[in-house]
Amino acid sequence: QQQVKQSPQSLIVQKGGISIINCAYENTAFDYFPWYQQFPGKGPALLIAIRPDVSEKKEGRFTISFNKSAKQFSLHIMDSQPGDSATYFCAASLRAGGTSYGKLTFGQGTILTVHP
Amino acid sequence: NAGVMQNPRHLVRRRGQEARLRCSPMKGHSHVYWYRQLPEEGLKFMVYLQKENIIDESGMPKERFSAEFPKEGPSILRIQQVVRGDSAAYFCASSPPSGRSNEQFFGPGTRLTVL
């Protein structure tokens, strides 16, 4: 029940195209859904995050779409650039604070390649 | 405002030796999480600590692994009698005190190679 499933495993997109990565979760108690970007040899960097009380969040070229009833969320990268080539991880956690805590359960990752 | 710091960045150990990985959280952050990333895999939670307390160690192997976050100084992840299967990237993340945010900020990682 703690799993987060991510797809596709790898994705190739042309420069200027839209990259879409999907995640599905099982635990309905998850309350926070971040996306991380990781370049080779580096630590994951927080890209954008959403809570289940909104269906969409946009920051620049990055958008999270959230479907609470389907227990799915996705990352859309508009106008994809070669510099976006990296591994992307979705994650989920319970709400931090009080007696709960915010440990992250990660998806398996998607290797995105954007061709110039 | 320095981010999460980890050292060493690379660590090579022979089988049977001990590995000590250090993590200094961001300023003002009191929560530390350790994750392990095996080659070609996602990150797996290991342990969650606050100052002088282990809150959740459900992801830690039962033997050879331990973690601490003392009142003063960095958090330490300690692996005794390392084996080849311990070779991985170990990431530390920190977050603000409870109730403020779920956001976790990751360090650059320590890449452990066991020969």
Side-chain angles (χ1 to χ4, degrees), chain A residues 1-61:
Chain A
Q1 201 178 19
Q2 293 294 323
Q3 280 189 321
V4 176
K5 295 183 179 179
Q6 183 172 345
S7 63
Q9 210 169 5
S10 62
L11 180 62
I12 298 174
V13 174
Q14 291 297 123
K15 179 182 176 181
I18 302 173
S19 303
I20 301 175
I21 304 171
N22 301 298
C23 283
Y25 64 97
E26 299 170 1
N27 188 349
T28 55
F30 283 146
D31 186 70
Y32 172 72
F33 302 88
W35 284 89
Y36 283 85
Q37 179 189 56
Q38 185 180 30
F39 292 104
K42 305 292 185 183
L46 180 63
L47 201 57
I48 187 172
I50 198 168
R51 294 197 184 275
D53 51 347
V54 297
S55 60
E56 186 174 283
K57 183 175 181 180
K58 184 176 180 179
E59 289 184 3
R61 295 184 295 110

Side-chain angles (χ1 to χ4, degrees), chain A residues 30-107:
Chain A
F30 283 146
D31 186 70
Y32 172 72
F33 302 88
W35 284 89
Y36 283 85
Q37 179 189 56
Q38 185 180 30
F39 292 104
K42 305 292 185 183
L46 180 63
L47 201 57
I48 187 172
I50 198 168
R51 294 197 184 275
D53 51 347
V54 297
S55 60
E56 186 174 283
K57 183 175 181 180
K58 184 176 180 179
E59 289 184 3
R61 295 184 295 110
F62 301 93
T63 300
I64 299 179
S65 296
F66 188 85
N67 186 331
K68 188 173 181 178
S69 61
K71 293 188 285 185
Q72 295 175 348
F73 58 110
S74 60
L75 176 70
H76 296 233
I77 306 174
M78 312 300 287
D79 188 26
S80 299
Q81 299 295 314
D84 296 331
S85 297
T87 301
Y88 292 81
F89 293 98
C90 63
S93 75
L94 303 175
R95 182 184 291 275
T99 57
S100 67
Y101 47 83
K103 77 176 185 183
L104 293 169
T105 299
F106 282 88

Side-chain angles (χ1 to χ4, degrees), chain B residues 38-56:
Chain B
L38 294 169
E40 310 300 325
E41 291 189 16
L43 291 89
K44 304 290 186 188
F45 168 79
M46 299 182 73
V47 63
Y48 162 46
L49 309 104
Q50 296 178 20
K51 284 285 188 182
E52 300 184 281
N53 283 304
I54 297 175
I55 307 301
D56 180 3

Side-chain angles (χ1 to χ4, degrees), chain B:
Chain B
N1 187 15
V4 177
M5 299 175 68
Q6 289 188 249
N7 67 81
R9 296 291 306 277
H10 299 275
L11 183 61
V12 179
R13 286 287 179 266
R14 296 190 180 279
R15 282 179 296 170
Q17 292 184 318
E18 178 179 288
R20 282 192 175 221
L21 288 61
R22 294 174 184 77
C23 168
S24 296
M26 286 180 68
K27 186 176 181 180
H29 286 192
S30 55
H31 296 197
V32 166
Y33 303 80
W34 285 93
Y35 295 84
R36 177 164 65 175
Q37 185 176 34
L38 294 169
E40 310 300 325
E41 291 189 16
L43 291 89
K44 304 290 186 188
F45 168 79
M46 299 182 73
V47 63
Y48 162 46
L49 309 104
Q50 296 178 20
K51 284 285 188 182
E52 300 184 281
N53 283 304
I54 297 175
I55 307 301
D56 180 3
E57 55 182 345
S58 60
M60 288 270 274
K62 292 289 185 280
E63 298 176 350
R64 304 186 297 107
F65 285 72
S66 62
E68 63 177 9
F69 189 14
K71 187 176 181 181
E72 300 292 336
S75 175
I76 306 286
L77 179 67
R78 183 182 177 201
I79 312 172
Q80 295 178 294
Q81 299 175 328
V82 296
V83 300
R84 289 223 173 101
D86 296 333
S87 294
Y90 292 82
F91 292 97
C92 164
S94 72
S95 68
S98 293
R100 287 176 53 188
S101 174
N102 279 81
E103 289 187 348
Q104 291 182 28
F105 298 88
F106 282 78
T110 294
R111 280 146 186 87
L112 172 65
T113 301
V114 180
L115 301 177

